[in-house]
Amino acid sequence: MLQYEFMRQAFIASTFIAITAGLVGVFVVSRNMSFLSHTLSEIGFAGASFGVLVGISPLAGMILFTIVSSIAVGGLSNESSRREASISAMSSLFIGLGILFLSLSSKSSSYATNILFGSIVGISSKEVQQLLALAIFVIIIFIIFYKPLAFDSFDHIGASASGLKTRLLSVIFLVTLALSVSIGAQIVGSLLVFVLLTLPGATAKYLAHSVPKMILVSVGLALSGVWLGLYLAFITNWPVTFFIATYEVIAYFIGLGYKNYKLNH
């Protein structure tokens, strides 16, 4: 399998994508922002479609839309009384915009398929380099702000009382989440990128009891999911997204069953 250059590039890109998604996903779950990763995936679809329309790379358009929108939508998350309706309205708007942008562009329908479902096996060397740079940037940001982000994510009240700049930390997290959505969409597409950003982290919560261990478990599940998905997609010619999503869902229910078993015994 690895004798083919496109598969080697796919494995390199997917490895960094999985590390980023697994790392960020732990904080997505702890901050109860799974809904936001889902919304950003739909916003990313509109951004990628906009990029196709105006002649820039879909990744650049996705990053532009998700970063701006993540901060705006993140502010709505504090208004619990109107949160669900506001998020649903924005999701609907951006899905509509994405479809409009694609219909106005001169590109073929294959572009829409790639945006929605990913195209990791057709990724170019330049795109791999871009993904690696973005993934490394996100990882560095988390290394720098790891302690305050972990404190704020798992004990927001305590972080506020101790004088941490929680608003600034929130903005930093939202920007890294937006970048992670844009990165992850390259392998599983904007339609299912939230799978990598939520399920490994949610499963890790059932299997580990400290932040470092949760990160290790989450990254491990994301890595094993994308590696197995690429291998099975290669030998079956089925979509890699199907295998990744199936693996992560099965792992989640196994983790949930383990948690329930431990509580009852």
Side-chain angles (χ1 to χ4, degrees), residues 20 22 50 60 71 80 82-83 90 97 106 114 161 187 209 240:
T20 304
F50 177 77
I71 298 174
S80 58
R82 298 181 179 179
R83 179 174 61 191
M90 292 195 69
L97 284 174
S106 58
N114 290 342
I187 183 171
H209 303 290
V240 63

Side-chain angles (χ1 to χ4, degrees), residues 49-253:
S49 302
F50 177 77
V52 171
L53 175 64
V54 300
I56 62 176
S57 72
L59 178 60
M62 189 174 288
I63 291 173
L64 173 64
F65 271 53
T66 54
I67 286 181
V68 173
S69 300
S70 65
I71 298 174
V73 177
L76 292 174
S77 66
N78 295 323
E79 303 292 336
S80 58
S81 60
R82 298 181 179 179
R83 179 174 61 191
E84 291 186 7
S86 299
I87 296 301
S88 298
M90 292 195 69
S91 297
S92 302
L93 171 64
F94 279 98
I95 290 175
L97 284 174
I99 295 172
L100 173 64
F101 294 150
L102 283 176
S103 67
L104 293 176
S105 70
S106 58
K107 300 295 183 180
S108 65
S109 60
S110 64
Y111 268 77
T113 302
N114 290 342
I115 292 170
L116 286 171
F117 304 109
S119 58
I120 190 67
V121 294
I123 197 168
S124 67
S125 298
K126 182 180 179 180
E127 290 170 330
V128 170
Q129 293 171 2
Q130 292 173 343
L131 290 176
L132 294 187
L134 287 172
I136 291 171
F137 175 75
V138 171
I139 292 169
I140 290 174
I141 291 297
F142 266 85
I143 291 174
I144 294 173
F145 294 98
Y146 170 74
K147 287 187 177 180
L149 268 176
F151 190 10
D152 184 43
S153 298
F154 289 87
D155 186 9
H156 179 69
I157 296 175
S160 300
S162 66
L164 280 180
K165 297 180 179 180
T166 55
R167 286 186 177 274
L168 176 61
L169 289 172
S170 178
V171 170
I172 292 172
F173 172 75
L174 290 169
V175 170
T176 55
L177 174 58
L179 290 174
S180 300
V181 168
S182 301
I183 296 170
Q186 306 308 304
I187 183 171
V188 293
S190 62
L191 194 64
L192 287 177
V193 66
F194 68 92
V195 169
L196 279 179
L197 282 167
T198 56
L199 287 185
T203 306
K205 182 179 65 174
Y206 298 134
L207 302 176
H209 303 290
S210 68
V211 180
K213 289 181 180 179
M214 287 176 63
I215 291 174
L216 286 175
V217 172
S218 179
V219 170
L221 288 171
L223 280 172
S224 56
V226 297
W227 287 343
L228 180 63
L230 284 172
Y231 171 72
L232 293 176
F234 178 79
I235 64 175
T236 65
N237 203 31
W238 290 10
V240 63
T241 302
F242 163 74
F243 293 112
I244 294 174
T246 302
Y247 174 86
E248 300 299 348
V249 169
I250 292 173
Y252 173 79
F253 281 109

